[in-house]
Structure formats: C-alpha cells, structure tokens
Amino acid sequence: MTPNPERFLADLHQLRSFGAAGVGKGVIRPAYSDADIAARAWLADRMREIGLTVHQDPVGNLFGLAQQPSLLLGSHSDSQPEGGWLDGALGVIAALEVARASREAGGPPVSVVSFEDEEGRFGVTTGSAVWSGQIDLDTADALTDHAGVTFAQSRARMADLAGDFVDPAQFTGYIEMHIEQGPSLDVAGEQVGVVSDIVGIRDMRLTFEGQQNHAGTTPMHLRRDAFQAVTTFNAAINEKFRNVVTPRTVWTIGHVALHPNASSIVPGRATFSMQWRDGDADRLARMETIIRTTAQEVADAGGLKLSFGPMLGLEPVPMDATLRAALEASADTVSPGRWRVLPSGALHDATNVARLMPVAMLFVPSIGGISHAFDEDTAETDLVAGLNVLAGAVTRLNQARA
Ligand code: GLV
Ligand code: MN
Ligand code: MN
C-alpha cells in the first residue's frame, strides 16, 4: 500500500478546525464538547467514504469497522482543556489514511477507532477504560469533571448515535501512533520511537476543609486555611518522595479549586488533584501511602478535615512482541539509524486495549518536547515518516498472517 502524505496532512489540518484555538496550532476540544461531537461527525463521514462501517458505542468511542478479522488502528480525538493539534488526532488520522491506502491496494482490512475522553475529563482514558472492562459503566457514570458534571450526563449528549459496545474478538491487534510528548526523540534528532512499555498511573482528588474567615481580622495563628494546607502538603511530599522515586517517576498537582476563591477571604476549602506515574506498580503503591499519611498529618496539625475521592489507576503495560517487531522492522526501513525503542511516560488508550488484544505503539518527535499546550507541534516530514512506519508494519503483519 502507498499512503498519501498530502491527503493525510490535509485531514489532520481539517480535524484541527474543530476547536481550533490559540496562536499556533492549538485546540480546545474536550470530550463531549460541541467541537468534539462535531469532529466525530466529520470523522464518521470520512470513515463511511472509505467503505468502513461506522459504529459509535454507548460512551462515544467511534469505530470505522472493516471486514473481519482486521487490525485496529487509532487513538483519540478529544483534547485537553488546552491542547495541541496532534495529541490523539495524529493516531486517528494516520489510521484513516492507512485504512484508505490499504483499501485502494486491495487489502488487508484495517479498522479505525477514535476513543472518547482519553484526556480524562472524567477519569483516566475513560472511553477505552469502559470498553475494555477496566472500569464498569455504572462506576464511570458517577465520575464528575471539575465543574461537577457527571459522565452519565455528558455521554447522554451523544446517546442518539449510540449502539452497543463493539465485540473486540474481530480485531487481531491494536496499533496506536502518537506524538512522543516528551523530549527524547527531538533532542536526539531521531524520527521514530517504538514503544517498549507504558507507565502506570494513579489519580485522585483530595479535599482539605478548614474555616472560611475574614482575611483582615483573623490572626495568622488562629487560621485554618485550606490553601496553606495544600502548599504544606506539596512541600512535604516532595521531601518524602526523595527516598522512593527514580528520575522517571513524576507527580503533579494540576488542578486546585479554592472556596470561595476571593482575595479577602481565608479559603475554607481546597479540593485538588494528585496524580503520580511510574513504571513500577510497587512504587506507585508506596507513593500512595506517603500521600495519604502526609495529607492526614497536615490536616491534623492544622485542625482541618481531610477527605479523599476515588483513586483511579492503570497498571504499567508492556507492548506485544510481535506487533512491536513489525514496527521496529518498518522503522528500520523508513528511518534507518534514526529510530529507537523507548518507554511511554504518557498514558494511552493502548493500555486499556491491552486487556483485549495484543497492542503496540509508535511515536514521532514533539518539537521541544512540548505537549498538552497550544505550542505542541511536529515537523511534517516526521509526521509522514511515522505514517509510513505504521503502513509498513501493517503490511508486514499481514504478510506474516498470510
Ligand atoms: C494522556 O494524555 C496523559 O495524560 O498521559
Ligand atoms: Mn494522547
Ligand atoms: Mn493527552
């Protein structure tokens, strides 16, 4: 098969027009937003045009199904609250182009998917997590975003198009192309990364509840300030993690909501996200213990109440050896001497799909290692190299099956 780079890049730019924002190539297309729903309608039309059977499941995962059995290629088309044009979109549009090129060449059959809420407005990779049985639908339905909207309310927006969950038995494997979202390939001047494994993640919300009071009249020693508790907690875990983490371990407080969030009021309540990632599940568990005990110590010392939301998580996952070997052989043909094997520090739908079938991933460089920001970008030559590696791997896998 011969993928068409112009057609692929044109589709990628077209997808960006749904939710295009910011300077550069930014996108605001969170799961179940108007832009996300419109983009999925556009994608469904592109899938139909190339003869795929369009099927949306109850949570909004959008499939373009080829004749069975087939490989499944794809990623997600929702974005972070502020995101770039390639995170997820690249894997979906590359899948579309490979499916189209393969059809033009007379086979093999290739199915395409765009998963919903990979970016975790509600959970962690919610759409593929539900499809794979990582979490059940009732549990997902009760999850809320930072504004208190439930997953159930949001997916109801797309209920008119929903059919059943797709039977995964029709797929022989899943390959996801993605931007690296980190600096390794860019710094090394390499073009392609073949993923060895994807890190594990834990994510939860914590709430400190103190006493809302007057910011001018309340002496410092009498305050029960919920924001001060957050900053004390943050400094304490940074210190305690030192003996536990490796250079690859990461942790982030990315969302903080203060109540009532006013300049002249001592904050009475602070709810914040705590997320941590590592390739070792035992280390993730040790970090959880530190987080829980440290938060309790801070609450006790300051006379605050502490509560924990549900902890979501995904385990570290290795990639399938056969699919990975096909990507490596293809990378060696497309970009000789300019590819490497590397782990993924970002989460991907592939983690969940690995519960259902063999999975593998390939990366292209992120300029400056930037992602989850409007500035995210990749050189067009690298995007096209990745497309060709994906197509070459599909061809190899098909030859091996024949
Ligand atoms: C997915 O976007 C992640 O946060 O790794
Ligand atoms: Mn992504
Ligand atoms: Mn992302």
mmCIF file of all heavy atoms in Angstrom, residues 7 11 43-53 64-66 95-101 103-104 110 112:
data_model
loop_
_atom_site.group_PDB
_atom_site.id
_atom_site.type_symbol
_atom_site.label_atom_id
_atom_site.label_comp_id
_atom_site.label_asym_id
_atom_site.label_seq_id
_atom_site.Cartn_x
_atom_site.Cartn_y
_atom_site.Cartn_z
ATOM 1 N N ARG A 7 -2.918 13.929 1.444
ATOM 2 C CA ARG A 7 -4.278 13.650 1.917
ATOM 3 C C ARG A 7 -4.274 13.518 3.441
ATOM 4 O O ARG A 7 -5.164 14.027 4.138
ATOM 5 C CB ARG A 7 -4.696 12.332 1.262
ATOM 6 C CG ARG A 7 -6.129 12.060 1.165
ATOM 7 C CD ARG A 7 -6.383 10.917 0.194
ATOM 8 N NE ARG A 7 -5.646 9.686 0.507
ATOM 9 C CZ ARG A 7 -5.746 8.559 -0.199
ATOM 10 N NH1 ARG A 7 -6.533 8.490 -1.255
ATOM 11 N NH2 ARG A 7 -5.050 7.483 0.130
ATOM 12 N N ASP A 11 -6.213 16.099 6.020
ATOM 13 C CA ASP A 11 -7.203 15.616 7.005
ATOM 14 C C ASP A 11 -6.828 16.053 8.423
ATOM 15 O O ASP A 11 -7.693 16.404 9.229
ATOM 16 C CB ASP A 11 -7.301 14.086 6.958
ATOM 17 C CG ASP A 11 -8.235 13.603 5.855
ATOM 18 O OD1 ASP A 11 -8.936 14.438 5.252
ATOM 19 O OD2 ASP A 11 -8.248 12.377 5.599
ATOM 20 N N LEU A 43 -15.466 12.813 11.310
ATOM 21 C CA LEU A 43 -14.683 11.579 11.206
ATOM 22 C C LEU A 43 -15.538 10.423 10.707
ATOM 23 O O LEU A 43 -15.092 9.618 9.877
ATOM 24 C CB LEU A 43 -14.135 11.199 12.592
ATOM 25 C CG LEU A 43 -12.797 11.769 13.006
ATOM 26 C CD1 LEU A 43 -12.540 11.448 14.479
ATOM 27 C CD2 LEU A 43 -11.675 11.183 12.142
ATOM 28 N N ALA A 44 -16.759 10.354 11.205
ATOM 29 C CA ALA A 44 -17.665 9.274 10.785
ATOM 30 C C ALA A 44 -17.890 9.351 9.278
ATOM 31 O O ALA A 44 -17.884 8.327 8.583
ATOM 32 C CB ALA A 44 -18.986 9.374 11.546
ATOM 33 N N ASP A 45 -18.049 10.565 8.757
ATOM 34 C CA ASP A 45 -18.217 10.727 7.295
ATOM 35 C C ASP A 45 -16.980 10.248 6.543
ATOM 36 O O ASP A 45 -17.086 9.598 5.514
ATOM 37 C CB ASP A 45 -18.489 12.199 6.952
ATOM 38 C CG ASP A 45 -19.910 12.605 7.307
ATOM 39 O OD1 ASP A 45 -20.749 11.698 7.514
ATOM 40 O OD2 ASP A 45 -20.177 13.824 7.395
ATOM 41 N N ARG A 46 -15.781 10.580 7.069
ATOM 42 C CA ARG A 46 -14.542 10.147 6.399
ATOM 43 C C ARG A 46 -14.458 8.607 6.416
ATOM 44 O O ARG A 46 -14.028 7.990 5.459
ATOM 45 C CB ARG A 46 -13.296 10.721 7.106
ATOM 46 C CG ARG A 46 -13.170 12.225 7.159
ATOM 47 C CD ARG A 46 -12.841 12.858 5.839
ATOM 48 N NE ARG A 46 -13.986 12.951 4.930
ATOM 49 C CZ ARG A 46 -15.033 13.785 5.087
ATOM 50 N NH1 ARG A 46 -15.106 14.597 6.096
ATOM 51 N NH2 ARG A 46 -16.021 13.799 4.203
ATOM 52 N N MET A 47 -14.867 7.998 7.526
ATOM 53 C CA MET A 47 -14.830 6.521 7.621
ATOM 54 C C MET A 47 -15.787 5.908 6.598
ATOM 55 O O MET A 47 -15.433 4.964 5.890
ATOM 56 C CB MET A 47 -15.229 6.082 9.040
ATOM 57 C CG MET A 47 -14.205 6.408 10.113
ATOM 58 S SD MET A 47 -14.926 6.108 11.758
ATOM 59 C CE MET A 47 -13.493 6.281 12.820
ATOM 60 N N ARG A 48 -16.996 6.471 6.529
ATOM 61 C CA ARG A 48 -18.006 5.961 5.566
ATOM 62 C C ARG A 48 -17.496 6.068 4.137
ATOM 63 O O ARG A 48 -17.637 5.138 3.350
ATOM 64 C CB ARG A 48 -19.293 6.785 5.703
ATOM 65 C CG ARG A 48 -20.389 6.030 6.400
ATOM 66 C CD ARG A 48 -21.655 6.854 6.521
ATOM 67 N NE ARG A 48 -22.052 6.872 7.919
ATOM 68 C CZ ARG A 48 -21.997 7.914 8.714
ATOM 69 N NH1 ARG A 48 -21.607 9.091 8.265
ATOM 70 N NH2 ARG A 48 -22.355 7.813 9.982
ATOM 71 N N GLU A 49 -16.868 7.212 3.825
ATOM 72 C CA GLU A 49 -16.344 7.449 2.469
ATOM 73 C C GLU A 49 -15.400 6.352 1.999
ATOM 74 O O GLU A 49 -15.287 6.095 0.813
ATOM 75 C CB GLU A 49 -15.508 8.736 2.487
ATOM 76 C CG GLU A 49 -16.186 9.948 1.945
ATOM 77 C CD GLU A 49 -15.307 11.182 2.201
ATOM 78 O OE1 GLU A 49 -14.065 11.060 2.373
ATOM 79 O OE2 GLU A 49 -15.888 12.256 2.248
ATOM 80 N N ILE A 50 -14.669 5.748 2.954
ATOM 81 C CA ILE A 50 -13.704 4.719 2.526
ATOM 82 C C ILE A 50 -14.259 3.314 2.761
ATOM 83 O O ILE A 50 -13.510 2.331 2.809
ATOM 84 C CB ILE A 50 -12.320 4.903 3.194
ATOM 85 C CG1 ILE A 50 -12.418 4.843 4.721
ATOM 86 C CG2 ILE A 50 -11.692 6.201 2.778
ATOM 87 C CD1 ILE A 50 -11.049 4.798 5.388
ATOM 88 N N GLY A 51 -15.565 3.245 2.932
ATOM 89 C CA GLY A 51 -16.228 1.941 2.959
ATOM 90 C C GLY A 51 -16.220 1.243 4.303
ATOM 91 O O GLY A 51 -16.562 0.061 4.393
ATOM 92 N N LEU A 52 -15.834 1.965 5.370
ATOM 93 C CA LEU A 52 -15.881 1.350 6.697
ATOM 94 C C LEU A 52 -17.302 1.470 7.262
ATOM 95 O O LEU A 52 -18.027 2.413 6.928
ATOM 96 C CB LEU A 52 -14.884 2.047 7.632
ATOM 97 C CG LEU A 52 -13.415 1.968 7.201
ATOM 98 C CD1 LEU A 52 -12.534 2.827 8.115
ATOM 99 C CD2 LEU A 52 -12.924 0.521 7.195
ATOM 100 N N THR A 53 -17.676 0.529 8.110
ATOM 101 C CA THR A 53 -18.992 0.576 8.756
ATOM 102 C C THR A 53 -18.853 1.378 10.049
ATOM 103 O O THR A 53 -18.109 0.992 10.947
ATOM 104 C CB THR A 53 -19.485 -0.855 9.075
ATOM 105 O OG1 THR A 53 -19.521 -1.587 7.852
ATOM 106 C CG2 THR A 53 -20.866 -0.828 9.709
ATOM 107 N N GLY A 64 -14.652 2.770 12.859
ATOM 108 C CA GLY A 64 -14.903 2.513 11.443
ATOM 109 C C GLY A 64 -14.486 1.069 11.218
ATOM 110 O O GLY A 64 -13.292 0.758 11.241
ATOM 111 N N LEU A 65 -15.456 0.191 11.055
ATOM 112 C CA LEU A 65 -15.179 -1.246 11.054
ATOM 113 C C LEU A 65 -14.987 -1.771 9.639
ATOM 114 O O LEU A 65 -15.821 -1.545 8.758
ATOM 115 C CB LEU A 65 -16.326 -1.999 11.736
ATOM 116 C CG LEU A 65 -16.547 -1.617 13.209
ATOM 117 C CD1 LEU A 65 -17.813 -2.254 13.746
ATOM 118 C CD2 LEU A 65 -15.336 -2.018 14.052
ATOM 119 N N ALA A 66 -13.885 -2.508 9.461
ATOM 120 C CA ALA A 66 -13.620 -3.194 8.190
ATOM 121 C C ALA A 66 -14.132 -4.625 8.317
ATOM 122 O O ALA A 66 -14.567 -5.049 9.388
ATOM 123 C CB ALA A 66 -12.123 -3.187 7.904
ATOM 124 N N ALA A 95 -4.458 6.390 11.105
ATOM 125 C CA ALA A 95 -5.238 5.150 10.948
ATOM 126 C C ALA A 95 -6.160 5.255 9.741
ATOM 127 O O ALA A 95 -6.270 4.318 8.938
ATOM 128 C CB ALA A 95 -6.051 4.887 12.213
ATOM 129 N N LEU A 96 -6.813 6.410 9.627
ATOM 130 C CA LEU A 96 -7.734 6.630 8.499
ATOM 131 C C LEU A 96 -6.992 6.514 7.166
ATOM 132 O O LEU A 96 -7.466 5.866 6.225
ATOM 133 C CB LEU A 96 -8.338 8.030 8.662
ATOM 134 C CG LEU A 96 -9.538 8.408 7.827
ATOM 135 C CD1 LEU A 96 -10.764 7.594 8.215
ATOM 136 C CD2 LEU A 96 -9.838 9.913 8.031
ATOM 137 N N GLU A 97 -5.816 7.143 7.096
ATOM 138 C CA GLU A 97 -5.060 7.116 5.835
ATOM 139 C C GLU A 97 -4.559 5.702 5.522
ATOM 140 O O GLU A 97 -4.587 5.277 4.366
ATOM 141 C CB GLU A 97 -3.893 8.113 5.891
ATOM 142 C CG GLU A 97 -3.028 8.147 4.634
ATOM 143 C CD GLU A 97 -3.827 8.366 3.335
ATOM 144 O OE1 GLU A 97 -4.877 9.034 3.363
ATOM 145 O OE2 GLU A 97 -3.389 7.839 2.285
ATOM 146 N N VAL A 98 -4.111 4.974 6.537
ATOM 147 C CA VAL A 98 -3.633 3.602 6.288
ATOM 148 C C VAL A 98 -4.811 2.711 5.858
ATOM 149 O O VAL A 98 -4.684 1.898 4.938
ATOM 150 C CB VAL A 98 -2.907 3.035 7.532
ATOM 151 C CG1 VAL A 98 -2.611 1.550 7.369
ATOM 152 C CG2 VAL A 98 -1.605 3.801 7.771
ATOM 153 N N ALA A 99 -5.963 2.896 6.497
ATOM 154 C CA ALA A 99 -7.147 2.105 6.104
ATOM 155 C C ALA A 99 -7.520 2.411 4.654
ATOM 156 O O ALA A 99 -7.854 1.517 3.867
ATOM 157 C CB ALA A 99 -8.320 2.411 7.039
ATOM 158 N N ARG A 100 -7.441 3.685 4.281
ATOM 159 C CA ARG A 100 -7.804 4.120 2.918
ATOM 160 C C ARG A 100 -6.800 3.573 1.896
ATOM 161 O O ARG A 100 -7.175 3.010 0.866
ATOM 162 C CB ARG A 100 -7.824 5.657 2.898
ATOM 163 C CG ARG A 100 -8.363 6.289 1.659
ATOM 164 C CD ARG A 100 -8.818 7.716 1.934
ATOM 165 N NE ARG A 100 -7.864 8.454 2.768
ATOM 166 C CZ ARG A 100 -8.160 9.589 3.408
ATOM 167 N NH1 ARG A 100 -9.357 10.122 3.311
ATOM 168 N NH2 ARG A 100 -7.249 10.194 4.150
ATOM 169 N N ALA A 101 -5.514 3.723 2.223
ATOM 170 C CA ALA A 101 -4.468 3.254 1.297
ATOM 171 C C ALA A 101 -4.537 1.736 1.155
ATOM 172 O O ALA A 101 -4.339 1.189 0.061
ATOM 173 C CB ALA A 101 -3.095 3.682 1.803
ATOM 174 N N ARG A 103 -7.175 -0.132 1.487
ATOM 175 C CA ARG A 103 -8.354 -0.465 0.671
ATOM 176 C C ARG A 103 -8.045 -0.246 -0.817
ATOM 177 O O ARG A 103 -8.396 -1.071 -1.658
ATOM 178 C CB ARG A 103 -9.505 0.434 1.116
ATOM 179 C CG ARG A 103 -10.843 -0.124 0.738
ATOM 180 C CD ARG A 103 -11.949 0.695 1.386
ATOM 181 N NE ARG A 103 -13.222 0.077 1.126
ATOM 182 C CZ ARG A 103 -13.754 -0.882 1.860
ATOM 183 N NH1 ARG A 103 -13.112 -1.327 2.930
ATOM 184 N NH2 ARG A 103 -14.916 -1.412 1.544
ATOM 185 N N GLU A 104 -7.383 0.872 -1.112
ATOM 186 C CA GLU A 104 -7.023 1.159 -2.513
ATOM 187 C C GLU A 104 -6.109 0.076 -3.086
ATOM 188 O O GLU A 104 -6.144 -0.203 -4.280
ATOM 189 C CB GLU A 104 -6.327 2.522 -2.603
ATOM 190 C CG GLU A 104 -7.288 3.689 -2.411
ATOM 191 C CD GLU A 104 -6.580 5.034 -2.178
ATOM 192 O OE1 GLU A 104 -5.327 5.055 -2.032
ATOM 193 O OE2 GLU A 104 -7.286 6.046 -2.114
ATOM 194 N N VAL A 110 -8.458 -2.944 7.430
ATOM 195 C CA VAL A 110 -7.950 -2.177 8.584
ATOM 196 C C VAL A 110 -9.115 -1.402 9.187
ATOM 197 O O VAL A 110 -9.780 -0.637 8.484
ATOM 198 C CB VAL A 110 -6.849 -1.186 8.139
ATOM 199 C CG1 VAL A 110 -6.459 -0.259 9.289
ATOM 200 C CG2 VAL A 110 -5.625 -1.931 7.621
ATOM 201 N N VAL A 112 -10.638 1.359 12.133
ATOM 202 C CA VAL A 112 -10.155 2.629 12.709
ATOM 203 C C VAL A 112 -10.983 2.951 13.949
ATOM 204 O O VAL A 112 -12.187 2.706 13.974
ATOM 205 C CB VAL A 112 -10.329 3.772 11.674
ATOM 206 C CG1 VAL A 112 -9.876 5.107 12.250
ATOM 207 C CG2 VAL A 112 -9.561 3.455 10.395
#
